[in-house]
Amino acid sequence: MLDAHKSAADATQVHDHYLKDTVYCGQCGERLIITNAKNRHGNVYPYFVCSGRHSGKTECTRQAMLIEDVERLIEKYYEMIEVSPGQHRIEAHHDEYASARANL
């Protein structure tokens, strides 16, 4: 009888994405989780949602964001990051270390 009454809400959902567990809400600092929304035509749209807002743990008002939009924002952020002069020195010696490692 219990098996007959199981619902989709009982199932654990897993949404894999390369940014999962690495992005956080800019408003409250909680982790962003992945959820899928389906429109009336059956199209599925993946979103990042603030886990604090979703669980009611915080009073966060951050709206859900399409994963595609979050990816674009992260790409723009990385375009602004400059490599330090020390990083250039490390890269310059990379080939030397690689050949030394090969000889060992």
Side-chain angles (χ1 to χ4, degrees), residues 6-26:
K6 282 188 178 178
S7 69
D10 295 333
T12 301
Q13 294 185 4
V14 176
H15 304 294
D16 289 326
H17 189 272
Y18 70 96
L19 290 175
K20 185 178 178 180
D21 297 329
T22 62
V23 287
Y24 293 83
C25 178

Side-chain angles (χ1 to χ4, degrees), residues 69-81:
D69 293 341
V70 174
E71 291 171 339
R72 214 170 305 129
L73 289 169
I74 290 173
E75 287 171 6
K76 285 182 182 180
Y77 176 76
Y78 278 118
E79 288 172 0
M80 296 182 331
I81 296 174

Side-chain angles (χ1 to χ4, degrees), residues 44-104:
V44 176
Y45 298 93
Y47 284 91
F48 274 118
V49 179
C50 173
S51 62
R53 178 183 173 137
H54 181 74
S55 67
K57 187 167 103 174
T58 66
E59 293 182 16
C60 186
T61 58
R62 165 66 68 195
Q63 296 291 320
M65 297 178 66
L66 281 170
I67 287 179
E68 182 179 305
D69 293 341
V70 174
E71 291 171 339
R72 214 170 305 129
L73 289 169
I74 290 173
E75 287 171 6
K76 285 182 182 180
Y77 176 76
Y78 278 118
E79 288 172 0
M80 296 182 331
I81 296 174
E82 294 183 23
V83 177
S84 69
Q87 183 67 30
H88 290 295
R89 282 185 279 160
I90 292 170
E91 291 171 0
H93 294 289
H94 175 67
D95 291 337
E96 292 175 33
Y97 293 125
S99 69
R101 186 178 297 124
N103 286 332
L104 291 175

Side-chain angles (χ1 to χ4, degrees), residues 35-47 66:
T35 187
N36 290 324
K38 189 185 298 186
N39 69 8
R40 60 188 173 122
H41 303 290
N43 298 326
V44 176
Y45 298 93
Y47 284 91
L66 281 170

